[in-house]
Amino acid sequence: MTSGAAGAPPGGLPVLPPVFNLIALDSVGSTNDEARRLAEEGAAHGTIVWAGEQTTGRGRQGRSWTSPRGNLYLSLVLRPECALSEAAQVSFVACVALGEAVAALAGKQVVVTYKWPNDVMFNAKKGAGVLLESKSTPAGGLDWLILGMGTNIEHFPDDARYPASSLRKEGADTTLVPAILLEELARQLDIWLEIWRNRGFRDIRAAWKERAQGLGKPIEVRLPKETLTGVFGDLDGDGALLLKNADGGTRTITAGDVFPGA
Ligand code: BTN
């Protein structure tokens, strides 16, 4: 089912796998807020809120996400049958799905990598981000999960903490517009969410590591109160970054900003 219109191509609204129910909006504050509102009203697993622009788009750690028309902004309502502790794995599923979609559509000039934890890079610059929000049930289970994804197609911020870019800047063809990317992304999300459901995080972790930025190399991890240096040793079975220290020890990092090290 589809409703509304958000920068749809002349041929009509995108056609998505049947598991998804598309709500297309021209403009909204934040698709995550709208998806959250719908989830609270009982929206089904697979509901996608897509907007042509956001006026109060949100990024991780309370940052804002500038959202002019021309990029892709969507939030997917999920009600997966998993433990609350496993929910964060979905953001790696999302990165892999988006990476595959961009690799399929953008051509060889855009090299896709993943920056821990949840960024998709275009030629080593940030091109997309994931914002995952959840609500637990009183019994400690998972009620809903909102998977928000923003992808720079036409525009990118020039004041970002990390160098950013867009698909257009990196040379993607002008036929790659939000509705086309949404179609391929939904197809890939369907595939990778099924892989996760049936085979667990192992296959997602392997796919993520294939395009991981900085794996095996020196990195700097900025935490709120300290900056750590070491080598990006591995991604563990829960999605945490394993940082190898100079003294041979390993520190498990569950949140932080990663930069290339010296
Ligand atoms: C990040 O900080 O890298 C995550 C950015 C997530 C932005 C997307 S755009 C669609 C959805 N709605 C929001 O308000 N945020 C997410």
Side-chain angles (χ1 to χ4, degrees):
M1 193 189 91
T2 305
S3 59
L13 286 163
V15 178
L16 308 188
V19 63
F20 298 117
N21 167 28
L22 180 64
I23 296 172
L25 305 171
D26 183 55
S27 178
V28 74
S30 155
T31 55
N32 259 45
D33 292 344
E34 183 60 12
R36 173 192 285 253
R37 192 184 67 74
L38 293 169
E40 285 293 286
E41 285 179 359
H45 175 92
T47 302
I48 291 182
V49 178
W50 169 41
E53 65 167 7
Q54 299 184 116
T55 53
T56 51
R58 296 188 284 108
R60 290 196 302 274
Q61 295 169 18
R63 296 171 191 145
S64 64
W65 186 262
T66 312
S67 309
R69 216 169 275 281
N71 292 344
L72 178 61
Y73 313 108
L74 69 93
S75 299
L76 168 60
V77 177
L78 294 168
R79 298 185 187 273
E81 288 165 10
C82 71
L84 200 53
S85 58
E86 292 164 338
Q89 296 172 6
V90 170
S91 55
F92 291 90
V93 176
C95 287
V96 170
L98 180 61
E100 292 300 317
V102 169
L105 295 174
K108 286 199 168 54
Q109 63 273 32
V110 182
V111 176
V112 176
T113 50
Y114 309 131
K115 185 165 90 70
W116 189 88
N118 303 142
D119 293 337
V120 178
M121 315 298 282
F122 304 152
N123 295 335
K125 285 156 275 177
K126 177 160 173 168
V130 171
L131 177 64
L132 199 62
E133 297 177 315
S134 62
K135 185 185 170 199
S136 51
T137 62
L142 184 62
D143 184 352
W144 49 251
L145 202 57
I146 306 295
L147 170 62
M149 303 175 75
T151 307
N152 301 336
I153 298 180
E154 296 287 351
H155 314 282
F156 61 94
D158 52 15
D159 59 347
R161 288 162 64 88
Y162 200 94
S165 192
S166 66
L167 288 171
R168 203 71 71 231
K169 173 92 192 310
E170 298 305 317
D173 195 85
T174 49
T175 53
L176 209 176
V177 293
I180 298 289
L181 181 57
L182 173 55
E183 258 189 27
E184 182 59 22
L185 173 58
R187 212 174 68 78
Q188 294 290 343
L189 278 169
D190 191 20
I191 292 170
W192 288 97
L193 282 166
E194 272 304 288
I195 291 175
W196 179 61
R197 193 166 73 99
N198 295 326
R199 305 217 286 261
F201 188 56
R202 215 177 56 167
D203 288 20
I204 304 302
R205 174 175 172 264
W208 189 91
K209 282 177 65 176
E210 274 178 30
R211 294 183 194 269
Q213 180 170 298
L215 190 60
K217 300 205 175 105
I219 57 167
E220 191 178 284
V221 184
R222 295 187 196 160
L223 307 178
K225 289 189 178 145
E226 59 179 330
T227 295
L228 308 172
T229 55
V231 168
F232 184 174
D234 206 349
L235 182 74
D236 80 3
D238 296 318
L241 184 153
L242 299 180
L243 185 71
K244 285 203 252 171
N245 309 318
D247 64 7
T250 298
R251 183 150 165 183
T252 302
I253 313 285
T254 55
D257 285 323
V258 173
F259 293 82

